[in-house]
Amino acid sequence: MAVEHHGLDLLPIITLLAAGAIGAPLFKRLGLGSVLGYLAGGIAIGPFGLQVFTHPAEILQVAELGVVLFLFIVGLEMRPSRLWGMRHQIFGLGLVQVLVCALLLTAVGVLTGFPVVPSFVSGAGFVLTSTAIVMQLLAERGQLGSPAGQRTVSILLLEDLIIVPLLALVAFLAPVAAGRPGTHAGIDLAAIGIGLGSLAALVLAGRYLLNPLFGLLANARAREVLTAAALLVVLGAAYAIESGGLSMAMGAFLAGVMLAESSYRHQLEADIEPFRGILLGLFFLAVGMSLDLAVVAAHWRTIVFYVIAYMIVKALGIYAVARLFRAAHDEALERAVVMAQGGEFAFVLYAAATSAGIVNAEQNAMLTATIILSMALTPLAIAGLKLARGRSGKGAETREPPDGLTSAALVIGFGRVGQIVSQFLLARGYDIAIIDTDVEMIDIAREHDFKVYYGDGTRLDVLHAAGAASARVVIVCVDEPEAGTKIVELLKAEFAHAPVLARARDRVHSLALLRAGADLQVRETFESAVSLGVQALHTLGASEREIADITARIRKRDRQRLELEIVGGIAAGGVLFSGRASGGDRDALPRE
């Protein structure tokens, strides 16, 4: 007898995953960026392509969670200390560029016959540069840490910040419903009061509840519980703020800011990142599906006009502001070309404006197409700039080492060894990042003004979040030998540029670390024994030269043994004799 099966239809899910898995890498390979790949994939499977999906709005509603999680990650990066250190560039250069470009682009809309409010929203969306395109370009050129790169990153940070008040502004600019009983033009004080009350409640909860909550959960040593708690905080904050009449994105952003100085920020970022990446990719796919190609075809002349007008006007505004802040001509020109396009957050702003009734569906399709085309033209504009510079012989790229945007060193493990190592680095004035999984130790360290973050170094995503990709040296000081070896293996496999210095428990652990690729391993028992031996010789009256010769000989012999055991596969931890020499030279290897 046949059994009728009413299970989950997997074909739409498979199609979504396939569109993202094919489109994003393909477009990134072509130098156009993964965002354009997602958009193209969405167009291909949407109502104007293969018609696998005919109602993209339903997917877009779920996919907006990707934007919520993205803003939480942005909030985590907005540490008050970092913002304060870059305050002049962010709130000086960045704010002036955003305001000037928004004013100029709004003027373009008004001068071409559109009302002020839709013109402002359209222009403000185009002001938000594509962070994905610009950051990838800076990283490829090795300019993230250069002074010019820092100025560009500061502007991008300000633009990431400005999306939150822009989304709130869209709600205030939305037209008042006409003819509805009890509605009138003016300011709704009750709604403002509820919104401010929800913000205050969220800030208080974050200030007094979040750190104790994550401390309790971290002690449970259950990774999935921390992940669930991270999602609970983000979505709970978003829901609370939305219930107060404000945007979910603002709630998620505030939750991130409140946890930016928390000991658990690296772990939270690592736990949220996979969900953020998947849902944000789904958001761009849904935007691509929502793009009405019939509208684009009917208004292609208008779209092309606004792409050219917006990019030229924005580039002129960027160049003028850069020169105003005393940037050189070459730097100002390159910044103008690189940042002339619209960005990912414009889709978010335009979607909110459509929901609020500021722009209609047709205008949203035209604006979305404008952003997409500007992003697609950016690689061509950059190639044109390179060609012009090549002919003039100017503008050679300079690569400078990072100086302040990232930590110079990453210390993994803050036990008895990590604490002493950190003091050496801090005494020299280096900026360091420290992670550990001992909640009690983290709390004690914070009381003594050490900024130690909760993070499991055996997880690659946590290493990324902690800054291993940009650290100039990584020092592994964890207690457990197995964990230390695994961390070294991950570091050398994924971050081969950074030297890895590791603390070894004993000889067996030393061999494992060397096989894992550690650039330097230091056995705590061997080094402490060497110090004791040196002091014993001093006490017995040996001369400094004798002590130095004996120490050098012992260190050399130990190094040779390690090399023999690695190359020859001699069993680690056994007893090896180099010969029956005089008593002091006997070469026994205890299991230390």
Side-chain angles (χ1 to χ4, degrees), residues 456-461 463 483-496 500 516:
D456 183 357
T458 61
R459 288 177 52 184
L460 181 59
D461 50 358
L463 294 175
T485 304
K486 182 177 180 181
I487 292 170
V488 172
E489 289 173 346
L490 283 174
L491 289 168
K492 298 308 293 184
E494 297 293 329
F495 314 103
V500 177

Side-chain angles (χ1 to χ4, degrees), residues 288-432:
M289 293 180 215
S290 304
L291 185 62
D292 192 331
L293 294 184
V295 171
V296 174
H299 301 278
W300 69 270
R301 291 182 180 86
T302 303
I303 292 171
V304 170
F305 168 78
Y306 278 104
V307 169
I308 296 173
Y310 273 179
M311 290 188 74
I312 291 176
V313 170
K314 183 180 178 183
L316 290 174
I318 294 172
Y319 181 84
V321 172
R323 296 292 283 169
L324 179 66
F325 279 78
R326 300 181 179 179
H329 166 74
D330 284 344
E331 180 185 339
L333 181 61
E334 180 163 344
R335 189 186 305 163
V337 172
V338 169
M339 302 186 74
Q341 83 289 140
E344 302 86 2
F345 270 129
F347 304 132
V348 182
L349 188 66
Y350 294 156
T354 304
S355 301
I358 294 176
V359 297
N360 57 37
E362 183 179 79
Q363 291 169 331
N364 184 19
M366 295 172 65
L367 290 170
T368 301
T370 301
I371 296 295
I372 293 172
L373 285 175
S374 74
M375 294 170 71
L377 288 174
T378 298
L380 299 177
I382 294 172
L385 179 62
K386 286 182 178 179
L387 182 62
R389 284 183 167 176
R391 288 178 176 176
S392 64
K394 295 181 180 180
E397 291 182 9
T398 56
R399 298 187 175 229
E400 299 185 32
D403 58 351
L405 276 180
T406 53
S407 299
L410 170 61
V411 179
I412 305 172
F414 198 65
R416 50 201 173 97
V417 176
Q419 292 170 24
I420 297 171
V421 171
S422 300
Q423 291 179 50
F424 278 85
L425 298 172
L426 293 172
R428 178 61 176 77
Y430 289 114
D431 180 26
I432 65 173

Side-chain angles (χ1 to χ4, degrees), residues 96-137:
V96 171
Q97 178 174 308
V98 167
L99 292 176
V100 168
C101 291
L103 183 62
L104 292 174
L105 295 176
T106 301
V108 171
V110 173
L111 293 174
T112 51
F114 287 95
V116 174
V117 172
S119 297
F120 169 75
V121 172
S122 303
F126 204 91
V127 165
L128 303 176
T129 307
S130 174
T131 302
I133 290 177
V134 177
M135 291 295 285
Q136 180 181 350
L137 181 65

Side-chain angles (χ1 to χ4, degrees), residues 202-562:
L202 181 61
V203 170
L204 288 173
R207 176 69 177 82
Y208 295 105
L209 297 179
L210 289 184
N211 261 324
L213 169 66
F214 282 107
L216 181 66
L217 296 176
N219 274 323
R221 301 280 180 172
R223 173 181 171 182
E224 67 279 1
V225 175
L226 270 177
T227 303
L231 290 171
L232 173 64
V233 168
V234 179
L235 300 181
Y239 179 77
I241 291 298
E242 187 186 36
S243 300
L246 301 174
S247 100
M248 287 194 302
M250 179 180 290
F253 176 79
L254 286 176
V257 171
M258 288 185 300
L259 288 166
E261 294 288 1
S262 166
S263 303
Y264 307 97
R265 63 178 300 269
H266 294 311
Q267 190 77 31
L268 287 170
E269 184 176 348
D271 287 336
I272 291 294
E273 181 63 29
F275 300 97
R276 195 276 310 173
I278 292 172
L279 288 173
L280 197 58
L282 184 61
F283 173 79
F284 292 132
L285 283 169
V287 169
M289 293 180 215
S290 304
L291 185 62
D292 192 331
L293 294 184
V295 171
V296 174
H299 301 278
W300 69 270
R301 291 182 180 86
T302 303
I303 292 171
V304 170
F305 168 78
Y306 278 104
V307 169
I308 296 173
Y310 273 179
M311 290 188 74
I312 291 176
V313 170
K314 183 180 178 183
L316 290 174
I318 294 172
Y319 181 84
V321 172
R323 296 292 283 169
L324 179 66
F325 279 78
R326 300 181 179 179
H329 166 74
D330 284 344
E331 180 185 339
L333 181 61
E334 180 163 344
R335 189 186 305 163
V337 172
V338 169
M339 302 186 74
Q341 83 289 140
E344 302 86 2
F345 270 129
F347 304 132
V348 182
L349 188 66
Y350 294 156
T354 304
S355 301
I358 294 176
V359 297
N360 57 37
E362 183 179 79
Q363 291 169 331
N364 184 19
M366 295 172 65
L367 290 170
T368 301
T370 301
I371 296 295
I372 293 172
L373 285 175
S374 74
M375 294 170 71
L377 288 174
T378 298
L380 299 177
I382 294 172
L385 179 62
K386 286 182 178 179
L387 182 62
R389 284 183 167 176
R391 288 178 176 176
S392 64
K394 295 181 180 180
E397 291 182 9
T398 56
R399 298 187 175 229
E400 299 185 32
D403 58 351
L405 276 180
T406 53
S407 299
L410 170 61
V411 179
I412 305 172
F414 198 65
R416 50 201 173 97
V417 176
Q419 292 170 24
I420 297 171
V421 171
S422 300
Q423 291 179 50
F424 278 85
L425 298 172
L426 293 172
R428 178 61 176 77
Y430 289 114
D431 180 26
I432 65 173
I434 310 171
I435 60 173
D436 202 308
T437 55
D438 188 331
V439 177
E440 184 179 354
M441 176 63 71
I442 291 171
D443 292 338
I444 295 174
R446 289 258 164 172
E447 292 175 3
H448 291 82
D449 296 327
F450 279 97
K451 289 187 178 180
V452 183
Y453 296 97
Y454 182 90
D456 183 357
T458 61
R459 288 177 52 184
L460 181 59
D461 50 358
V462 173
L463 294 175
H464 273 289
S470 55
R472 290 157 56 188
V473 64
V474 183
I475 308 165
V476 182
C477 304
V478 296
D479 285 328
E480 299 82 4
E482 295 80 6
T485 304
K486 182 177 180 181
I487 292 170
V488 172
E489 289 173 346
L490 283 174
L491 289 168
K492 298 308 293 184
E494 297 293 329
F495 314 103
H497 68 282
V500 177
L501 318 181
R503 162 255 189 117
R505 173 69 66 84
D506 51 30
R507 189 176 197 79
V508 177
H509 191 202
S510 290
L511 292 169
L513 290 172
L514 287 170
R515 293 187 182 107
D519 296 279
L520 174 69
Q521 53 75 34
V522 177
R523 295 202 311 280
E524 56 186 43
T525 45
F526 179 76
E527 291 302 324
S528 58
V530 167
S531 296
L532 284 173
V534 168
Q535 189 57 46
L537 291 177
H538 271 297
T539 304
L540 293 172
S543 68
E544 293 290 342
R545 182 173 181 178
E546 286 179 307
I547 294 174
D549 289 342
I550 293 171
T551 303
R553 189 163 63 248
I554 290 173
R555 287 188 180 279
K556 180 180 179 181
R557 186 182 303 133
D558 183 78
R559 186 170 59 253
Q560 289 173 341
R561 289 197 202 104
L562 287 174

